[in-house]
Amino acid sequence: MTDQGNFQLQDRSSEKLWQSFDYPTDTILPSQVIDRGGILSSRRSETNFSRGRFQLRLQQDGNLVLNTINLPTDFANTPYYASGTDDGTNSSTSGMQLVFNETGSIYVSRKNGESLGLADGDLVSSRDNYIRATLNFDGVFAQYYHPKNGSESWTYIWSIPDDICRILLDSGAGVCGFNSICTLYQDQKRPTCKCPRNYTLIDPNDEYGDCKPDFIQGCAEDELFRSKGGEVLDLYDVMEKKLPLSNGRVDNSLNSRGFIKVRKAEYSILPNGSHGLSPEIIEKEKDQDTLILVGSVLFGTSVFVNILLVSAFCLGFFFIYRKKKAKTVIAQNVFEMNLRCFTYKELEVATDGFKEELGSGAFGIVYKGTIQLGSSIVVAVKKLNFVAQETEKEFKNEVNVIAQIHHKNLVRLHGYCDDGQNRLLVYEYLGNGTLASFVFADIKPSWKERTQVVLGIAKGLLYLHEECSTQIIHCDIKPQNILLDDYYNAKISDFGLAKLLMMNQSQTHTAIRGTKGYVAPEWFRNIPITAKVDVYSFGVVLLEIICCRRSVDAVSNDDGKEILTDWAYDCVVEGALDALVSWETEALDDRKKLETYVMVSMWCIQENPSVRPTMRKVVQMLEGVVEVHVPPCPFPAYSITN
């Protein structure tokens, strides 16, 4: 063990065979250097020394970054700090090493011999103090000192970033857990996490952990409505954030305030875990004594004054009651105003006897029709082949769930029909047809149009998986289930129908669903089905959009090109993307995006679902805000144990 804290293994000639300085964990010491590709990893928590989700990396391009990773993988998220010492346009200024020299200075050594210091201000003496720099479990990279001749604890010197609470992390929870609020007080250098009012820590021993509500959740009215300014707003007009809340923080520089809706205080979970009246309602009962006092005063005054007061009370109560009742009626009928219930006869007339067929699939046949909703509106009417929900209430509940899901890249539901054995859904009509007719047409769409469609599909799936009130796994993503509006914006159809047809979904073992060529491998194995099945299907569709050809071409005369995913990977390995896009000039002029899109597709079609990215990560990679690494072979020989 050297005086610098470096543990070494040496041979008889004192030649170093191995040293701990080459394998840092969360801390570096004076005289220690990190080369390109080197990493510091935080611990999991203050007392858990296993690998955490924060990293400090000197990337291969010379940029020093702080980022989170998606445990248990090494997949890096967007950096929340970067030194700016990457290759860029001037490779001579790119970073070569992160140096912690003997005097206690920490800096990035550039290729041209210059250096970029990470901290400003005076340094403490390394002669009189022990010095270290640690990537803490809360994502803060900080330097500390400890007097060699003293009993004091480690003292903070500087850190990056300055305020970790104000950093928006894209990995789910922020520095603090879900539903928690992060605050950095002026006299502190480390963040403090607190649960909002009416929330408590799931694990009382983990102050940086997740918070849970102390009140009962789940009533339908809470999911359907929220109030603002005394008015009931329909979910079609309000995009609500999916719970749990992430990245909660206090930021006094913003002139704004956030609100969390909680259940009224009358009924809550008491500290002992039972349900009952809260202390607030008990306090209200005490206030009844005040009402008795008011009554006594009334009877002690003149009859005329009493009549005036009583009349005023009654009149006020009448208006309040009527207003409250009106709001209740609005709340009860808001779905009926936005989701219309049709009779079978109405839809038969609207479609001229189901005359013009637009398409058909596993869920049923779609017909073109015209309905009256203030004016004549062209719609697409889907006749469902089979619905497992036997009662009218069950069917209506499932349809209402679908109706709540509203996004610019999802086809909107206008209404439904539940008339005996006839059950139909009425959707908006999109004049430019399906993605299949667009991409596989004789005339190839432009590269710009295709990339626009790709992003639209990805964002629609992201909304279904993570941002709507209830996660929806589509289970049948394919070009025939993606429609295009008048401006060629992509809209996903048939979402929610898998659940409507009583197909068990998340974390369950199910019968195979989907379409040949787009079905994820886990459907054929006895393993849980998750949202990653949609990621796989999206990867196949992405390749089809890039190449303007179908995923399976049984009549192809070119050996090795019958299966698009196999051929595309061969092209990636051989560096033959030109052939993949048939030497299309517009796509090759945008080669960086082309390479990114192809690599993203390779990540999506990984045989092992745990290796595939989430749709949030897919969108970030497609938009260029997250670095896309070279993917492994999507089809390795591997086994999954039950």
Side-chain angles (χ1 to χ4, degrees):
M1 179 71 74
T2 68
D3 291 339
Q4 290 76 28
N6 187 15
F7 183 70
Q8 298 179 344
L9 294 179
Q10 302 176 349
D11 60 16
R12 292 181 178 179
S13 62
S14 298
E15 185 72 23
K16 287 184 295 185
L17 303 177
W18 182 92
Q19 62 176 359
S20 61
F21 270 18
D22 293 337
Y23 301 92
T25 51
D26 65 345
T27 298
I28 55 174
L29 302 174
S31 76
Q32 193 166 358
V33 171
I34 295 180
D35 296 316
R36 285 190 176 188
I39 294 176
L40 290 184
S41 294
S42 69
R43 67 183 73 171
R44 185 70 61 91
S45 69
E46 191 73 71
T47 56
N48 185 344
F49 288 83
S50 59
R51 186 178 63 148
R53 62 191 181 102
F54 294 96
Q55 283 187 343
L56 180 142
R57 295 189 298 147
L58 185 61
Q59 297 181 154
Q60 293 295 346
D61 62 3
N63 203 14
L64 182 72
V65 301
L66 289 169
N67 61 260
T68 57
I69 60 173
N70 294 328
L71 292 173
T73 71
D74 293 319
F75 198 89
N77 296 305
T78 306
Y80 58 90
Y81 165 84
S83 64
T85 54
D86 56 331
D87 289 330
T89 58
N90 188 354
S91 60
S92 65
T93 60
S94 62
M96 297 299 295
Q97 291 181 322
L98 175 64
V99 179
F100 193 177
N101 68 16
E102 290 80 358
T103 65
S105 296
I106 301 181
Y107 56 88
V108 177
S109 175
R110 298 180 187 267
K111 187 180 294 186
N112 60 6
E114 298 176 352
S115 62
L116 173 68
L118 298 188
D120 298 325
D122 298 331
L123 298 174
V124 299
S125 169
S126 60
R127 180 185 62 189
D128 302 324
N129 300 279
Y130 298 111
I131 307 175
R132 65 176 170 90
T134 299
L135 177 60
N136 295 305
F137 70 91
D138 53 21
V140 177
F141 182 58
Q143 189 175 14
Y144 303 87
Y145 74 92
H146 189 293
K148 292 183 178 179
N149 299 318
S151 59
E152 294 91 344
S153 60
W154 288 94
T155 303
Y156 166 91
I157 304 175
W158 59 264
S159 66
I160 53 174
D162 294 330
D163 186 351
I164 189 66
C165 291
R166 297 177 65 178
I167 302 298
L168 291 179
L169 304 177
D170 66 349
S171 57
V175 174
C176 301
F178 287 111
N179 293 331
S180 184
I181 299 175
C182 180
T183 307
L184 192 68
Y185 296 102
Q186 291 182 352
D187 58 343
Q188 292 180 330
K189 301 302 179 183
R190 300 287 294 280
T192 297
C193 298
K194 291 184 178 179
C195 297
R197 190 175 64 182
N198 292 338
Y199 282 72
T200 54
L201 287 168
I202 294 177
D203 181 0
N205 298 318
D206 182 11
E207 62 178 301
Y208 287 82
D210 300 336
C211 299
K212 62 179 177 64
D214 295 333
F215 49 89
I216 304 170
Q217 294 178 307
C219 284
E221 58 267 27
D222 288 345
E223 299 173 5
L224 303 182
F225 313 109
R226 69 177 185 181
S227 63
K228 180 179 181 183
E231 297 179 0
V232 175
L233 299 183
D234 178 19
L235 276 181
Y236 286 129
D237 301 319
V238 181
M239 283 301 206
E240 291 193 337
K241 179 172 176 60
K242 178 187 175 184
L243 295 176
L245 302 176
S246 60
N247 285 298
R249 66 198 187 279
V250 174
D251 189 344
N252 294 324
S253 66
L254 300 176
N255 186 22
S256 61
R257 180 176 297 177
F259 295 90
I260 300 176
K261 183 176 180 180
V262 300
R263 180 165 298 284
K264 291 175 64 177
E266 282 87 342
Y267 200 71
S268 61
I269 302 175
L270 300 179
N272 61 4
S274 64
H275 301 166
L277 293 176
S278 66
E280 289 84 355
I281 198 61
I282 295 175
E283 191 68 28
K284 287 182 181 178
E285 291 179 353
K286 293 180 180 178
D287 291 342
Q288 291 179 356
D289 294 338
T290 306
L291 294 177
I292 295 174
L293 177 62
V294 171
S296 301
V297 172
L298 285 175
F299 284 110
T301 58
S302 68
V303 175
F304 178 73
V305 173
N306 284 343
I307 292 174
L308 289 178
L309 289 173
V310 171
S311 300
F313 274 120
C314 293
L315 191 62
F317 177 80
F318 170 75
F319 282 113
I320 292 173
Y321 174 78
R322 191 172 70 170
K323 185 176 182 181
K324 183 175 181 180
K325 185 175 181 180
K327 284 186 178 181
T328 303
V329 172
I330 293 173
Q332 291 174 343
N333 292 288
V334 71
F335 264 137
E336 281 70 12
M337 291 189 297
N338 292 281
L339 188 65
R340 181 173 169 184
C341 181
F342 295 91
T343 65
Y344 182 79
K345 184 63 177 179
E346 284 179 309
L347 295 183
E348 187 176 36
V349 172
T351 58
D352 194 15
F354 302 101
K355 181 178 180 181
E356 185 176 350
E357 184 177 323
L358 296 175
S360 62
F363 297 129
I365 302 175
V366 183
Y367 301 91
K368 187 176 181 180
T370 304
I371 61 174
Q372 299 294 324
L373 288 177
S375 60
S376 295
I377 298 177
V378 180
V379 293
V381 179
K382 180 183 288 289
K383 255 189 173 183
L384 298 178
N385 288 334
F386 171 76
V387 178
Q389 279 78 7
E390 295 182 356
T391 69
E392 178 183 352
K393 182 178 180 181
E394 289 174 341
F395 177 77
K396 187 175 181 179
N397 287 342
E398 292 300 332
V399 170
N400 280 339
V401 170
I402 298 174
Q404 294 176 50
I405 302 170
H406 187 235
H407 188 269
K408 67 177 182 178
N409 294 117
L410 301 176
V411 177
R412 184 167 182 174
L413 182 66
H414 284 310
Y416 67 98
C417 170
D418 184 20
D419 192 344
Q421 296 299 313
N422 299 307
R423 286 175 173 173
L424 303 90
L425 299 177
V426 181
Y427 291 101
E428 65 174 315
Y429 174 79
L430 299 175
N432 275 321
T434 67
L435 176 64
S437 61
F438 176 70
V439 174
F440 306 139
D442 294 334
I443 300 176
K444 181 184 291 188
S446 71
W447 173 249
K448 183 177 180 181
E449 288 176 325
R450 280 145 54 202
T451 56
Q452 172 187 319
V453 167
V454 165
L455 271 175
I457 302 170
K459 290 179 179 178
L461 279 176
L462 167 60
Y463 182 82
L464 290 175
H465 289 180
E466 298 185 25
E467 296 176 354
C468 63
S469 57
T470 303
Q471 184 193 55
I472 296 291
I473 305 175
H474 191 288
C475 297
D476 196 18
I477 291 294
K478 59 183 179 181
Q480 291 79 7
N481 283 338
I482 298 164
L483 306 178
L484 303 175
D485 67 12
D486 294 340
Y487 303 98
Y488 292 95
N489 295 309
K491 295 199 174 192
I492 300 172
S493 68
D494 281 4
F495 57 89
L497 293 194
K499 186 176 181 182
L500 186 66
L501 299 184
M502 216 55 181
M503 190 194 79
N504 296 324
Q505 291 188 341
S506 181
Q507 295 295 326
T508 58
H509 308 283
T510 71
I512 296 174
R513 296 281 178 173
T515 303
K516 180 181 178 182
Y518 306 94
V519 178
E522 52 265 39
W523 284 110
F524 302 96
R525 301 184 174 95
N526 188 30
I527 61 175
I529 298 302
T530 68
K532 293 296 183 70
V533 298
D534 287 347
V535 177
Y536 182 93
S537 302
F538 172 80
V540 178
V541 172
L542 174 55
L543 278 177
E544 290 184 319
I545 296 173
I546 292 171
C547 307
C548 289
R549 58 149 286 186
R550 299 182 185 276
S551 60
V552 179
D553 186 1
V555 298
S556 175
N557 296 323
D558 298 322
D559 291 338
K561 295 184 179 180
E562 297 86 356
I563 307 299
L564 178 57
T565 52
D566 296 355
W567 177 52
Y569 181 71
D570 292 339
C571 290
V572 171
V573 173
E574 298 166 5
L577 296 186
D578 305 54
L580 195 62
V581 294
S582 303
W583 293 271
E584 180 184 351
T585 303
E586 187 181 3
L588 295 177
D589 288 342
D590 196 9
R591 180 173 286 275
K592 184 175 181 180
K593 180 175 287 188
L594 172 61
E595 292 174 348
T596 296
Y597 276 35
V598 173
M599 286 197 294
V600 169
S601 70
M602 293 295 108
W603 278 111
C604 291
I605 63 171
Q606 293 290 314
E607 190 168 340
N608 188 340
S610 65
V611 180
R612 296 174 209 149
T614 63
M615 285 309 303
R616 180 174 298 279
K617 187 63 59 182
V618 168
V619 170
Q620 291 170 342
M621 290 191 292
L622 293 174
E623 292 182 330
V625 297
V626 168
E627 183 180 1
V628 185
H629 302 287
V630 177
C633 176
F635 326 107
Y638 83 110
S639 62
I640 299 179
T641 58
N642 296 332

